[in-house]
Amino acid sequence: MLCTPFCGKASHIVGGEFELLHINGNLYRLNLILYFDKINGTPGAKDNGVNVSFFQKKDNLLVMSQFLPLLSEENVGYTQPECSQGFIQTDKLIYTAEFILDPEIFDDPEGYYVSWQRCCRNYTITNIFSANPASGGNSAGQTFYLEFPPVVKEGVPFINSSPRLFPPLNDYACPFKPYYVDFAGVDDDGDSLVYTMVTPLNTHAAVALPPPIPAAPYPPVLWRQGYGLNNVINGLPDLRISKSGLLTATPRNQGLFVFAVKIEEFRDGEKIGESRRDFQMLVVDGCTDAEPPVIKGKNLNDTNFSFIDDMSVSFSNTVTDADRCIKVQISDPDSEKELDDFIEQVSIRAVSLNFNKNVSEVLPVDVSETLVNGSTAEFTICFPRCPYFEGGPYQIGIIAMDDACALPLLDTLKVLVDIEPPVNNEPFFLSSAQVIQQINEGDSVGWIFEASDVDLDSLFVGVTTNGFTLASAGMTFSILEQQDGYVKGALTWNAACDIYNFTERNYFEVDIFVEDVKECFNTKAIARYTLVVILPGNADPIIDTDLLANPLEQHVVLERRINQSLTFNVTGSDLVDNDFLILDVTPLGFTLEDHDISFEGKTGNSSLTSPFTWDIRCDNVDLDVRDEFDFRFIVVDNANKCRIYKADTVLVSLTVLPLLNAEPILTVSSLNQEVLVNESLTSFVGQPIELGVIGSDADNFPDKDLLTLELISADGNVQPVGYFFEDAEAEGNVTSVFTWNPECNIFQNDQYKNDYTFTFRLSDDRCFSMAADTLTVNITIEDYPHDSLYFDPSNVFTPNGDGFNDYFSMEVRNPQNGELINILPRDSCIGTFQAIRIYNRWGNRVFETTDRNFRWFAEGMPAGVYYFVIQYSNEEYKGSVSIRF
């Protein structure tokens, strides 16, 4: 259990790839093949199952995940088992599962990819950084990656299997020895495969099983200094792969080298898929010092084996099978060496060179032999009666192989073979081989064809078309008479619209071919029938609205305001044919439902009418988003006998305007004695201010506007404080009151006059045509003046109790009304009355009060002169007063 955190990401990956194979229908099998290093790998790193992820190529969207259980595990053998020295021991692990690829999910034209990430590659790799993650170095994992096309294209199933059966690489290489291996796969669909070397992919994270997100692109591995895609193993020549998948190299240095091959899959010139395959090459000094075998060739009747590299042979069509042969001779210098015990095992195989077919049939039954003490081995190579392809000689290679380690050494004899095929006369048509005809819809027609072959060969008859099936178009094909060298048949056609939709196609090509059946190459004759259907006439439907007098008008432009309605009728008709019609509307860029628009599509014959109604209201339009609405009304006639599509349209363009809006009016009035002139007033500290703010709006259809009254700014040379105003809302009319009783604290820096501005706003809620009025009130606040027009205190009084001039005070009678008024300077923010003190002539205080309305009756005071001090917060007033009796 102590191994658990580390074994999962232990050094074990040799390489591997994906295979995605079509089974039937939408059923597929996914194989993940992983090659496991038995020498360096930890058994605990073998997974019992893997979770792979499918992604959409265009946006890397995770589409699905799939679990693949471990199906099998087998050892990978050597090409030359006797060469095994334990340098390489590899297991092939196959994880697989069958599942459905849903065509409603896997239908994106750009295709998909499946991937799985696993750590770690071997820690002893020479050409890339692949350290143990626990050591903190640059680790290397492998991303298994496969791209595949959608399973449906344009609604049609797209069947494809990825390349498969890639041979493993389990033979070591040796320094300065040529190395080769067939690395090609098989494609079940016959697609073209192109092989290229690429940089191997790493994983996103140095953990045993990196998470599937993020997806592609996956990071590449890091090459060590001196290595790269153009110098994978530092060979001369370096590791390369041919377009057909043959890996070749001549290594110079020992080591363990990782590489990757990309296999691109093409169909009809278009790339439809991509596989990646990673593997390792081990280079060790384990090869024997051997020389390659030598192959020579001769004609059957020649005495000597004179052909060393190339030879050419030709055979007429009269040569027997036993004479259509050559001889090859194999020798090997190693059979004369004591180091090899004077014995060498040699064998031969045949490959096609200028074509792609299996040619092993040219070899004898026994293709191997033992050479002893310099002996030679001879083999007879016989060619089939029929050439492998038409049009010229073909070339094959007869390859001699020895038993050298680690791979056999080779020598090749290239043989150019020209075989004359048996004589064959082409079949021909007795009837016309080119028929061009126009057919009226509804007609039934037929054609008789005859064909012959002078060789009296058996004839095969078939039919091809330019993309349709005979039965679907109402055509039939039959053989009336047939014997060797002769055939007679018939092509008939019921060209009826109720059988085939001729609006999709009215041009048809039918090729009847007659092919003779020969031993080698069949020959063919073709009769082409070019057929065109003439469809019946069909009157155009007409669409009209009652918005305009001209029924042919195709574009109607209208305006309506919010709270108005738009109502009209739409009529579609086909009074000529009385065909079945479809009447509908397409709103361009919006939906009827979102705007409470009423229009019902109609179907029926001859004539259809449907009303359009829209009560335009504030709650079903948003003029900030859209104020122009286009309605495309259409009447369609496509249910006629031949499904000929006819249509007529009319476009109604409506511009929605906002409601008309009377602007709201804002006024202000004084509610107390303050005089408001042109929204301006002047007041004194301590004098309450009360203003009535009134808003009104004349709009009353369909409803009164909702008015909002608010104070939007208050400013001055000193920021105003202490005022009160409450925002208000009401329909039609709204009022609120502004109140303020400013105190002396509004003055600052010995400035006793402040100017203020208060701005009120009245706004309505008329949808999409809101209006507002603003009003600014200017208020000036001053301090009371610190003086008095009447301040002239009395200088004598007679406290004798006679009721006249009995006391000393600061009161005098107003000459206008006779009322007593105080003559002391008025209190202000500058200064306020504090006290009055009265002193006798010796300086003794005889009276003191803080009451500005005082009265001193001088009880017990003798007659004489007295002195007073009137104390204000900012100054003093002094004077004298005399008492007399």
Side-chain angles (χ1 to χ4, degrees):
M1 293 182 65
L2 293 176
C3 182
T4 301
F6 308 103
C7 292
K9 59 182 179 183
S11 164
H12 69 283
I13 297 176
V14 173
E17 70 274 352
F18 275 122
E19 296 175 347
L20 182 61
L21 308 177
H22 177 254
I23 306 301
N24 59 67
N26 297 320
L27 182 64
Y28 287 78
R29 177 187 301 118
L30 180 66
N31 297 328
L32 185 147
I33 301 170
L34 186 148
Y35 292 95
F36 189 93
D37 189 340
K38 295 175 65 175
I39 296 178
N40 299 301
T42 304
K46 289 184 178 180
D47 301 302
N48 291 323
V50 302
N51 279 299
V52 302
S53 302
F54 290 79
F55 299 91
Q56 195 165 258
K57 281 183 62 179
K58 70 178 180 183
D59 53 12
N60 291 325
L61 176 68
L62 179 63
V63 178
M64 64 175 271
S65 298
Q66 178 65 47
F67 178 73
L68 309 180
L70 178 62
L71 175 69
S72 63
E73 180 178 348
E74 62 182 22
N75 182 62
V76 177
Y78 282 79
T79 303
Q80 301 273 69
E82 61 272 13
C83 294
S84 174
Q85 300 183 38
F87 296 134
I88 301 177
Q89 295 183 37
T90 305
D91 276 348
K92 180 179 181 180
L93 280 60
I94 299 180
Y95 302 86
T96 189
E98 292 184 2
F99 47 86
I100 297 294
L101 291 182
D102 190 339
E104 294 186 0
I105 297 176
F106 290 89
D107 61 350
D108 189 83
E110 295 185 31
Y112 301 83
Y113 64 92
V114 57
S115 66
W116 182 63
Q117 301 178 73
R118 188 65 165 96
C119 190
C120 297
R121 299 179 190 264
N122 283 332
Y123 301 148
T124 57
I125 296 176
T126 304
N127 59 343
I128 67 168
F129 288 100
S130 182
N132 188 333
S135 69
N138 292 315
S139 64
Q142 178 177 343
T143 293
F144 294 76
Y145 183 86
L146 170 73
E147 294 181 5
F148 61 95
V151 299
V152 61
K153 286 187 176 183
E154 299 179 352
V156 179
F158 189 78
I159 306 301
N160 182 65
S161 293
S162 71
R164 64 183 182 89
L165 294 179
F166 294 100
L169 187 154
N170 203 32
D171 295 314
Y172 57 84
C174 297
F176 304 103
K177 299 288 186 181
Y179 183 86
Y180 61 90
V181 65
D182 182 5
F183 217 54
V186 174
D187 191 279
D188 294 335
D189 308 303
D191 297 324
S192 299
L193 305 180
V194 177
Y195 301 83
T196 53
M197 301 290 295
V198 291
T199 298
L201 296 179
N202 204 340
T203 55
H204 280 299
V207 296
L209 293 168
I213 302 296
Y218 297 95
V221 298
L222 296 177
W223 296 101
R224 291 187 181 273
Q225 183 68 31
Y227 293 96
L229 188 56
N230 296 321
N231 192 34
V232 178
I233 67 170
N234 195 30
L236 190 64
D238 197 59
L239 184 65
R240 64 188 63 174
I241 190 166
S242 70
K243 290 184 178 181
S244 60
L246 181 66
L247 275 172
T248 58
T250 300
R252 292 189 293 179
N253 307 109
Q254 298 187 63
L256 183 61
F257 302 92
V258 70
F259 65 93
V261 172
K262 177 174 69 176
I263 306 97
E264 295 174 289
E265 185 181 7
F266 291 85
R267 183 176 298 179
D268 298 328
E270 177 186 358
K271 180 178 175 180
I272 61 172
E274 177 182 312
S275 304
R276 293 182 69 103
R277 189 182 198 214
D278 289 19
F279 226 90
Q280 293 177 173
M281 173 185 288
L282 178 65
V283 181
V284 295
D285 190 9
C287 297
T288 57
D289 187 12
E291 296 183 61
V294 176
I295 183 171
K296 299 179 181 180
K298 70 167 187 168
N299 294 310
L300 282 182
N301 298 325
D302 291 347
T303 303
N304 298 319
F305 289 92
S306 56
F307 300 104
I308 298 176
D309 295 318
D310 299 275
M311 67 179 296
S312 300
V313 291
S314 62
F315 303 98
S316 70
N317 56 20
T318 61
V319 174
T320 64
D321 292 343
D323 293 332
R324 201 181 308 106
C325 304
I326 63 170
K327 287 278 192 178
V328 296
Q329 182 188 74
I330 312 296
S331 62
D332 193 314
D334 292 332
S335 69
E336 303 178 62
K337 296 179 180 179
E338 182 178 1
L339 183 63
D340 292 310
D341 297 327
F342 303 102
I343 296 175
E344 188 73 12
Q345 293 290 333
V346 295
S347 60
I348 60 171
R349 65 187 181 100
V351 296
S352 57
L353 298 180
N354 64 339
F355 60 102
N356 185 20
K357 284 187 178 179
N358 187 337
V359 294
S360 59
E361 63 178 321
V362 305
L363 299 175
V365 175
D366 190 358
V367 295
S368 61
E369 194 166 327
T370 303
L371 304 184
V372 179
N373 292 320
S375 65
T376 61
E378 294 185 6
F379 300 92
T380 301
I381 309 298
C382 293
F383 306 102
R385 172 176 168 81
C386 296
Y388 284 106
F389 57 86
E390 292 185 270
Y394 60 87
Q395 188 176 46
I396 64 173
I398 308 300
I399 302 174
M401 303 180 294
D402 65 9
D403 59 356
C405 292
L407 290 171
L409 299 179
L410 312 175
D411 189 26
T412 301
L413 176 66
K414 298 177 182 178
V415 184
L416 188 67
V417 184
D418 189 2
I419 295 178
E420 180 185 19
V423 175
N424 182 32
N425 292 294
E426 295 182 359
F428 58 92
F429 278 90
L430 299 171
S431 55
S432 176
Q434 185 72 30
V435 176
I436 301 175
Q437 188 169 340
Q438 291 184 339
I439 299 99
N440 290 320
E441 186 276 330
D443 289 351
S444 293
V445 293
W447 301 267
I448 300 296
F449 67 87
E450 292 182 279
S452 179
D453 186 283
V454 297
D455 300 325
L456 299 181
D457 292 330
S458 175
L459 297 178
F460 172 77
V461 184
V463 179
T464 61
T465 70
N466 62 333
F468 68 96
T469 62
L470 296 181
S472 68
M475 298 184 185
T476 59
F477 167 80
S478 60
I479 301 297
L480 303 177
E481 181 182 348
Q482 187 168 14
Q483 60 191 31
D484 288 346
Y486 176 78
V487 66
K488 180 180 180 180
L491 175 67
T492 60
W493 189 14
N494 181 9
C497 282
D498 52 1
I499 297 177
Y500 191 81
N501 185 1
F502 293 116
T503 62
E504 296 180 356
R505 174 200 295 269
N506 71 333
Y507 175 84
F508 300 84
E509 288 183 357
V510 179
D511 287 344
I512 299 177
F513 64 89
V514 177
E515 187 174 356
D516 60 1
V517 181
K518 299 294 287 188
E519 178 183 1
C520 293
F521 304 113
N522 299 340
T523 56
K524 182 187 296 185
I526 298 176
R528 170 159 294 182
Y529 294 77
T530 303
L531 310 174
V532 178
V533 173
I534 306 301
L535 298 177
N538 187 46
D540 294 335
I542 297 174
I543 194 167
D544 183 23
T545 71
D546 55 13
L547 294 170
L548 295 175
N550 183 5
L552 300 180
E553 184 70 43
Q554 296 295 306
H555 191 189
V556 181
V557 179
L558 303 170
E559 287 185 352
R560 291 291 188 277
R561 291 190 180 276
I562 291 177
N563 285 334
Q564 292 182 334
S565 296
L566 176 62
T567 301
F568 57 91
N569 291 315
V570 183
T571 300
S573 61
D574 184 356
L575 302 178
V576 177
D577 300 322
N578 196 32
D579 285 337
F580 182 83
L581 302 177
I582 300 172
L583 179 65
D584 208 348
V585 65
T586 300
L588 304 183
F590 58 97
T591 67
L592 301 182
E593 294 79 6
D594 288 345
H595 300 279
D596 298 332
I597 301 170
S598 173
F599 182 82
E600 181 182 358
K602 294 289 185 70
T603 60
N605 291 83
S606 186
S607 182
L608 306 171
T609 298
S610 184
F612 175 97
T613 302
W614 188 13
D615 293 326
I616 306 170
R617 298 291 182 262
C618 290
D619 57 0
N620 60 30
V621 293
D622 185 348
L623 299 189
D624 293 332
V625 176
R626 176 188 296 274
D627 61 357
E628 294 185 352
F629 298 83
D630 289 329
F631 303 87
R632 188 177 300 280
F633 296 91
I634 185 170
V635 59
V636 177
D637 168 12
N638 67 348
N640 50 74
K641 176 185 176 185
C642 287
R643 297 180 287 277
I644 301 172
Y645 183 89
K646 292 292 187 72
D648 190 19
T649 62
V650 62
L651 178 65
V652 176
S653 296
L654 173 66
T655 299
V656 177
L657 302 175
L659 284 167
L660 295 175
N661 189 17
E663 294 188 357
I665 299 174
L666 183 61
T667 61
V668 63
S669 64
S670 176
L671 300 181
N672 54 17
Q673 71 272 18
E674 301 296 339
V675 178
L676 186 65
V677 179
N678 295 328
E679 288 78 42
S680 298
L681 65 82
T682 299
S683 185
F684 293 98
V685 169
Q687 182 175 325
I689 299 172
E690 187 173 2
L691 304 176
V693 186
I694 303 169
S696 61
D697 191 305
D699 291 317
N700 57 15
F701 177 80
D703 299 302
K704 293 182 178 181
D705 289 347
L706 178 66
L707 302 180
T708 300
L709 177 60
E710 53 191 337
L711 174 63
I712 60 173
S713 70
D715 203 359
N717 59 302
V718 175
Q719 189 66 31
V721 294
Y723 61 86
F724 175 79
F725 181 82
E726 184 175 7
D727 294 346
E729 282 188 351
E731 292 183 352
N733 295 284
V734 63
T735 62
S736 189
V737 177
F738 174 89
T739 59
W740 192 16
N741 190 6
E743 303 294 342
C744 289
N745 60 355
I746 69 172
F747 297 122
Q748 297 178 8
N749 302 321
D750 295 328
Q751 299 293 322
Y752 294 96
K753 181 179 180 180
N754 290 349
D755 294 318
Y756 299 96
T757 58
F758 295 88
T759 302
F760 302 88
R761 181 174 63 193
L762 176 67
S763 57
D764 63 20
D765 69 338
R766 204 75 164 170
C767 68
F768 307 112
S769 60
M770 292 182 291
D773 188 18
T774 60
L775 184 148
T776 298
V777 177
N778 300 304
I779 299 178
T780 298
I781 306 295
E782 298 179 354
D783 193 8
Y784 282 108
H786 189 60
D787 56 9
S788 175
L789 296 176
Y790 307 105
F791 185 58
D792 184 15
S794 172
N795 60 1
V796 63
F797 71 101
T798 57
N800 55 12
D802 61 0
F804 297 99
N805 200 22
D806 286 335
Y807 57 87
F808 175 66
S809 70
M810 295 294 150
E811 295 174 334
V812 299
R813 290 196 179 274
N814 189 330
Q816 295 179 357
N817 56 22
E819 294 182 358
L820 290 175
I821 59 174
N822 194 305
I823 63 173
L824 280 172
R826 191 171 185 170
D827 284 349
S828 69
C829 297
I830 299 175
T832 59
F833 175 79
Q834 302 289 312
I836 183 171
R837 300 178 186 88
I838 301 176
Y839 300 89
N840 61 22
R841 61 182 177 174
W842 293 282
N844 296 322
R845 186 170 59 198
V846 297
F847 180 78
E848 179 179 10
T849 183
T850 59
D851 183 5
R852 68 183 295 135
N853 295 314
F854 72 91
R855 290 179 178 181
W856 182 42
F857 288 92
E859 291 92 342
M861 294 292 110
V865 178
Y866 291 82
Y867 303 93
F868 62 84
V869 176
I870 299 174
Q871 182 72 46
Y872 273 75
S873 60
N874 62 325
E875 60 182 328
E876 292 180 343
Y877 298 93
K878 296 180 180 182
S880 63
V881 62
S882 297
I883 298 177
R884 294 179 184 176
F885 290 100

